[in-house]
Amino acid sequence: MTALSDKIKAARDAAEEVDVAESAIIDQIKASHDVFKDIEWPGVPGVKVRMRLLTVSEARKAKVDNQQEFNRDGIEIGMQNLADYREQEAVHGMWRAFSDPATGKPVFTSAEHMRTLCTNDELKALCDAYNAFSDENDPNLEKLSDEEFEQLKDILKKKPDQIRSKVLSLPVAWKLLRILVAPQEN
């Protein structure tokens, strides 16, 4: 019986080692995506909020929540209200992106909470700031000019460890990999 219990104990120990290794990797991944920036609240000098990039899961949840809200309210989505639908989708994401820089606590508790506290101009300014921040940290291949792409490539040649904070977009990463690894033509 002791041989069996020794095998069980060894299996448990091995499983714990795997859990610890996976946990360390997950912690590294989370830390590499912890991208944030403190900005002034639109039109209110001296009031700062922390803006962070949403994860894919949070962005997807924002889309689902928005669709459910429109369905719950009995609003059909069509050409006549597509702009409103997109704006509200942004609000569902934006409330998740802002926190108090001093405490780290979220500024808003829901999309409705954000809508009750913000003007249309503030929402637009916050969305613009978020989109610019997102583009800065996750360049979109379709929006990058050839010159901007070359600058990004040169930065990453000099400091390859910055790829975590500079490139989250898979198409941009693939293009960089293809160009940097492929044999150079003279």
Side-chain angles (χ1 to χ4, degrees):
M1 246 350 205
T2 60
L4 181 59
S5 62
D6 288 344
K7 287 182 181 181
I8 291 171
K9 184 180 179 327
R12 282 188 187 142
D13 291 346
E16 284 179 19
E17 287 178 23
V18 170
D19 287 346
V20 169
E22 287 175 352
S23 170
I25 292 168
I26 289 171
D27 289 344
Q28 288 176 352
I29 291 168
K30 285 179 181 177
S32 73
H33 291 167
D34 191 18
V35 181
F36 61 87
K37 179 179 185 178
D38 292 349
I39 62 167
E40 280 194 351
W41 189 261
V44 186
V47 175
K48 296 222 179 231
V49 293
R50 177 158 292 160
M51 174 174 54
R52 69 172 177 81
L53 291 182
L54 297 177
T55 64
V56 172
S57 180
E58 289 171 315
R60 184 179 183 284
K61 179 80 171 124
K63 290 177 182 192
V64 169
D65 289 350
N66 188 51
Q67 189 171 20
Q68 288 176 342
E69 182 178 351
F70 269 69
N71 291 342
R72 184 186 64 239
D73 293 343
I75 302 170
E76 286 193 37
I77 303 156
M79 291 305 290
Q80 72 280 5
N81 63 355
L82 191 57
D84 182 47
Y85 181 79
R86 293 286 180 224
E87 287 172 11
Q88 297 313 312
E89 186 178 292
V91 172
H92 276 280
M94 299 308 307
W95 76 265
R96 294 169 163 89
F98 293 99
S99 62
D100 180 337
T103 65
K105 292 184 178 182
V107 174
F108 306 105
T109 58
S110 67
E112 185 58 32
H113 185 224
M114 185 175 194
R115 285 190 289 253
T116 61
L117 295 175
C118 294
T119 66
N120 284 338
D121 289 342
E122 288 171 329
L123 285 174
K124 182 174 179 350
L126 291 171
C127 283
D128 289 347
Y130 181 85
N131 289 335
F133 180 57
S134 178
D135 286 346
E136 178 183 314
N137 286 283
D138 188 11
N140 183 333
L141 191 55
E142 295 166 4
K143 293 181 183 177
L144 280 179
S145 68
D146 290 342
E147 182 180 310
E148 290 169 326
F149 183 81
E150 288 300 319
Q151 289 173 347
L152 179 62
K153 184 176 79 171
D154 290 341
I155 289 170
L156 295 176
K157 274 183 174 178
K158 294 174 189 168
K159 299 179 182 177
D161 58 323
Q162 285 191 3
I163 195 159
R164 283 188 181 153
S165 62
K166 295 283 184 195
V167 180
L168 300 175
S169 168
L170 193 54
V172 173
W174 279 116
K175 184 174 180 182
L176 282 165
L177 181 64
R178 190 172 58 249
I179 288 173
L180 294 173
V181 174
Q184 301 295 315
E185 295 178 18
N186 290 331

